Amino acid sequence: DAGVTQSPTHLIKTRGQQVTLRCSPKSGHDTVSWYQQALGQGPQFIFQYYEEEERQRGNFPDRFSGHQFPNYSSELNVNALLLGDSALYLCASSVDPISGNTIYFGEGSWLTVV
Amino acid sequence: SQKIEQNSEALNIQEGKTATLTCNYTNYSPAYLQWYRQDPGRGPVFLLLIRENEKEKRKERLKVTFDTTLKQSLFHITASQPADSATYLCALTDSGYSTLTFGKGTMLLVSP
């Protein structure tokens, strides 16, 4: 049973560019959340998708957007990249609606903005 | 604003000893508290979840306590091994949509 898979694993972008990161949740999971983890920090919640809708959002600007597809996979898009967007982007999946279910993380996508 | 604090310094212990990591929080009433392990360059791996009405939870060599009065959780690894060396993250969840609020993590180094 594949866990949460993310792509690409590493990428380098230039300031001002746009990036799309992809996530396939664990089999049977219908809820996908995205987190940003800067070096030396804990992950920070960006947003959560359930039934193809953004259900909850953290304190991130509108440059960060996402999408969830009918097969529950998800994309994270970041526009107008800034140097400060360099981080590990983590996708997490779970079964909803019961909070307290185990949340599984992917290995992340390392984004470097130069 | 919500704040979660974990041991800011790395914790160095000898193999076989018990490691104790601390997680304190303020301005939060979590329904659940979770502990994750994260190895360098990898995603967090779920270890244990404890509910607000539980005082203690165990899993093999791991033990978590949760004191909602003190707003504190302690995470213990007994008979520690060098393979336990990693960063351990504390995360809180409210009773809503299972979004996690993380601390910065504590790096644990177990020496042979």
Side-chain angles (χ1 to χ4, degrees), chain A residues 44-112:
Chain A
Q44 277 200 295
F45 173 70
I46 302 175
F47 41 54
Q48 184 183 85
Y49 277 85
Y50 175 68
E51 293 189 342
E52 303 180 51
E53 296 287 331
E54 181 184 294
R55 182 166 68 176
Q56 203 165 4
R57 188 179 183 92
N59 190 24
F60 279 80
D62 292 344
R63 298 187 296 110
F64 290 77
S65 63
H67 189 77
Q68 185 179 35
F69 299 94
N71 66 352
Y72 306 123
S73 66
S74 177
E75 287 181 351
L76 164 66
N77 300 293
V78 186
N79 293 322
L81 285 167
L82 304 173
L83 295 179
D85 295 331
S86 296
L88 177 66
Y89 288 85
L90 295 162
C91 174
S93 75
S94 60
V95 176
D96 239 67
I98 302 171
S99 191
N101 284 330
T102 300
I103 298 170
Y104 292 85
F105 282 84
E107 297 293 11
S109 294
W110 283 97
L111 171 64
T112 302

Side-chain angles (χ1 to χ4, degrees), chain B:
Chain B
S1 62
Q2 298 168 354
K3 197 173 180 183
I4 302 172
E5 290 185 345
Q6 297 187 244
N7 310 63
S8 56
E9 304 287 329
L11 183 62
N12 287 275
I13 64 167
Q14 207 166 9
E15 183 176 8
K17 302 291 186 185
T18 296
T20 298
L21 284 65
T22 305
C23 175
N24 295 296
Y25 60 92
T26 55
N27 298 325
Y28 206 115
S29 296
Y32 309 92
L33 187 146
Q34 305 183 42
W35 285 89
Y36 287 80
R37 170 185 172 137
Q38 187 172 29
D39 292 288
R42 309 291 298 273
V45 174
F46 171 78
L47 296 175
L48 279 169
L49 176 149
I50 187 165
R51 292 173 168 74
E52 61 179 333
N53 60 352
E54 296 176 320
K55 297 293 184 188
E56 184 178 296
K57 185 75 80 72
R58 292 175 185 259
K59 179 182 174 183
E60 297 172 354
R61 296 185 294 112
L62 309 180
K63 184 178 88 170
V64 173
T65 63
F66 192 12
D67 189 325
T68 55
T69 302
L70 289 179
K71 296 186 183 294
Q72 181 183 77
S73 173
L74 298 179
F75 177 76
H76 306 271
I77 305 175
T78 58
S80 59
Q81 304 164 2
D84 295 327
S85 298
T87 294
Y88 291 85
L89 297 161
C90 167
L92 306 182
T93 315
D94 59 24
S95 58
Y97 296 128
S98 66
T99 59
L100 298 166
T101 302
F102 282 92
K104 287 185 179 181
T106 298
M107 184 180 295
L108 173 66
L109 299 169
V110 182
S111 308

